[in-house]
Amino acid sequence: MSRGSSAGYDRHITIFSPQGKLYQVEYAFKAVRNANITSIGVRGKDCVIVVTQKKVADKLIVPSSVSHMFKITSTIGCVSTGLIADAKNQVMRARQEAAEFKYQNGYDIPVGHLAKRIADVCQVYTQHAFMRPLGVVPIFCGIDFEGKEANPQLYKVDPAGFFVGYKAIAAGHKEQEANNLLEKKIKANEEMTYDQAMEAAILTLQTVLGSDVKPKDIEVGVVTVNEPKFRTLGEEEIDKRLSIISDRD
C-alpha cells in the first residue's frame, strides 16, 4: 500500500491516515451533505429563527409525519440536518441529557451546555471501533435567562464533536453558499429584529436553492424573548411570511 493512498485507512474509525485524517469521520460529513437538505439558523437581538427544507420522499407518506425540527425541552429547539434515523437517536439523547440536568440542578439546561454534552458524545463516537459517527448536524436554538437578562443562543454541533455558538449558520447540501450570504447579512446588521431575522433566514434558503419555496417545502422554528417556548410555524403562517417577502421584492 502506498503511503499516499487512503486505501485501508478508511476501514477503521480509530486509525489515522499518513495525512492525519480520519476518513470515517470525513465520510460522516459527506453523509450530511448527501442528504440534500439545507438548514439555516439566524440569531436576532431578541429571537432565534431556524429554517430547513422539507422533502416528502413518497406520495404515500403523510407529510405531517416528516420533520427535521425537534423540541428538546419546552424552550430549546433543534433542527437536524442529515440522516433522519441518526437525528432521532441524537434527539433522544439530548432530551435525556436535558431532563437529567433539570432533575439534578432544578433549572433548565442552558443551550450551550446541552450543545457541549451532545458534542462530547459525538467526539467519543470517533474514538471507539465499535461505534460510528452519526451522520447528522444538529443546530440548537433557545433563550438563556440570566436574572433579568435574556440571551438568544444558536449552536451547531458537527459529527467530529466540535461545537460553537453562532450569530448565523447553515448546514447541509448548500452550506458554504448559505454561509457566504449570511456573512454579508450579519455584517450589514448584527442586531436583527424578529421580522428581519425571519426574512434573512428564508431569503438565504431561497437564494441558495435558486427558486421560490412553497409553504409545504420548508419548516420554520422560532423562539423569542417574549415567547421563549420553541414552536414551529404552520403552513398558513409560513405562507404569510413568504407573501410579505415576495411583496417586498
Side-chain angles (χ1 to χ4, degrees):
M1 184 193 306
S2 65
R3 287 187 62 80
S5 170
S6 67
Y9 292 103
D10 62 351
R11 295 181 187 173
H12 297 283
I13 195 168
T14 54
I15 297 176
F16 281 98
S17 75
Q19 288 78 37
K21 295 181 178 181
L22 287 172
Y23 285 104
Q24 288 296 322
V25 178
E26 291 191 8
Y27 296 160
F29 281 89
K30 284 185 179 178
V32 174
R33 290 193 293 272
N34 289 345
N36 285 328
I37 295 285
T38 303
S39 303
I40 310 282
V42 177
R43 190 187 75 180
K45 65 179 180 181
D46 59 355
C47 64
V48 185
I49 311 293
V50 286
V51 182
T52 188
Q53 289 176 267
K54 180 173 182 174
K55 291 185 177 180
V56 181
D58 195 308
K59 289 182 179 179
L60 296 176
I61 294 174
V62 177
S64 60
S65 68
V66 177
S67 179
H68 288 266
M69 294 273 181
F70 302 96
K71 187 182 284 189
I72 306 301
T73 68
S74 60
T75 56
I76 298 178
C78 171
V79 55
S80 295
T81 313
L83 306 178
I84 192 66
D86 284 9
K88 288 185 176 180
N89 175 272
Q90 194 172 63
V91 164
M92 186 175 65
R93 178 61 186 263
R95 287 170 177 162
Q96 179 187 339
E97 292 288 344
E100 284 183 7
F101 184 94
K102 187 166 185 178
Y103 176 75
Q104 291 171 1
N105 299 282
Y107 62 94
D108 288 332
I109 189 170
V111 183
H113 188 78
L114 177 64
K116 180 183 181 299
R117 288 295 303 140
I118 297 304
D120 288 347
V121 172
C122 289
Q123 205 282 324
V124 168
Y125 280 18
T126 70
Q127 296 181 32
H128 298 285
F130 57 85
M131 296 175 174
R132 69 163 175 82
L134 298 177
V136 62
V137 170
I139 297 174
F140 295 102
C141 64
I143 308 291
D144 282 348
F145 289 93
E146 296 177 15
K148 292 183 179 179
E149 272 192 42
N151 302 307
Q153 302 287 346
L154 182 68
Y155 282 85
K156 184 175 89 164
V157 181
D158 69 28
F162 176 75
F163 82 102
V164 72
Y166 289 93
K167 298 171 185 175
I169 192 61
H173 187 57
K174 301 276 188 178
E175 178 179 345
Q176 192 55 55
E177 298 96 314
N179 281 335
N180 292 340
L181 287 169
L182 290 170
E183 210 172 295
K184 293 174 184 175
K185 291 181 187 295
I186 291 296
K187 192 175 181 181
N189 182 13
E190 277 193 29
E191 298 290 316
M192 293 186 188
T193 63
Y194 175 81
D195 290 334
Q196 289 170 335
M198 179 74 73
E199 184 177 332
I202 293 175
L203 265 179
T204 299
L205 186 60
Q206 279 189 343
T207 305
V208 296
L209 294 178
S211 63
D212 291 340
V213 295
K214 297 175 183 175
K216 64 178 182 179
D217 295 333
I218 62 171
E219 293 180 275
V220 181
V222 301
V223 60
T224 65
V225 171
N226 294 330
E227 292 182 35
K229 290 194 174 181
F230 178 78
R231 70 186 183 94
T232 55
L233 303 189
E235 282 193 17
E236 286 185 10
E237 289 179 278
I238 295 172
D239 192 32
K240 285 179 184 176
R241 286 286 164 184
L242 292 174
S243 297
I244 292 169
I245 291 169
S246 61
D247 291 343
R248 199 168 294 170
D249 291 344

